[in-house]
Amino acid sequence: MTGASDAAGRDPGRPAAAITGFALGTAVLGDVLDLLGYRHQFLPPQIRPLAPDGTLVGRAMPVLIAPVFGPQPRPFGRLTEALDQLRPGEVYLARGGGAPCAAWGELLSVTARGRGAAGAVIDGYHRDTRKILELGWPVFSRGPYAQDAGVRTTVIDFRVPVEFGGALVEPGDLIVGDIDGVLAIPSACEAEVIERAARKVAAEQEVRAAIEAGMSSTEAFARHGVL
């Protein structure tokens, strides 16, 4: 199943600009998603940015990876197809198949960056860490591990719904990552999430100013409703 959804084709520029402009991190976006009843939107907490200041915002291009055992007639499966299908502003978002091997590396990063992708998020491992960091292009993973994937995993499909822990990600969902984690914002509610998150950030700034001026946290929370 590789048909693209309408959401997958949407320009991510406007929400990305809003998230950056209002300094909306995963913490406040996750808070708003909780309030709206979307309580399973964070990917597993082990997925971290390679660079501590790494951030990304883009549309999900989910990739499904499965384990294999030994040499395959088609090494890596549909990996190159998936890479060549990336669109500007998309995030290569892969479920790593559970095998102890690298699902991402330098040449994949160069390819994805060249196609205008916003970053890569791997529920698995990466390698070529120094080379990726030199690119200055955002990659999130469970950590570095150089063992090759060619005889251990294969890409079986892409642009399909994929579940990461408790988070079901659809093609075109908005993916946001920073030092606090990675989450998926469903396309159906992204405008409301961004609007509410911007209001919450403004309220948090007021609370901080009040606490720094001497107000107790109890009074600040009672007055503003955020903490």
Side-chain angles (χ1 to χ4, degrees), residues 21-135:
F22 290 116
L24 305 181
T26 55
V28 67
L29 292 166
D31 291 351
V32 172
L33 285 163
D34 279 348
L35 289 172
L36 295 176
Y38 297 91
R39 299 194 174 99
H40 303 283
Q41 298 308 122
F42 271 96
L43 275 60
Q46 296 85 358
I47 300 175
R48 312 293 301 162
L50 270 66
D53 59 349
T55 61
L56 64 77
V57 183
R59 299 270 176 213
M61 200 277 269
V63 176
L64 185 59
I65 301 176
V68 296
F69 304 92
Q72 302 297 304
R74 186 181 182 187
F76 306 108
R78 303 182 68 186
L79 171 62
T80 57
E81 283 184 62
L83 285 171
D84 291 343
Q85 289 285 331
L86 277 168
R87 300 168 181 160
E90 288 189 326
V91 175
Y92 183 99
L93 185 73
R95 178 170 173 171
C101 60
W104 196 258
E106 175 194 3
L107 296 181
L108 278 62
S109 296
V110 170
T111 302
R113 185 182 70 162
R115 294 192 61 80
V121 176
I122 311 298
D123 188 7
Y125 302 98
H126 75 274
R127 65 183 191 176
D128 306 324
T129 305
R130 290 186 179 89
K131 295 295 187 180
I132 294 173
L133 289 171
E134 287 173 5
L135 292 173

Side-chain angles (χ1 to χ4, degrees), residues 179-190:
I179 195 171
D180 290 327
V182 181
L183 57 72
I185 304 175
S187 298
C189 67
E190 69 180 41

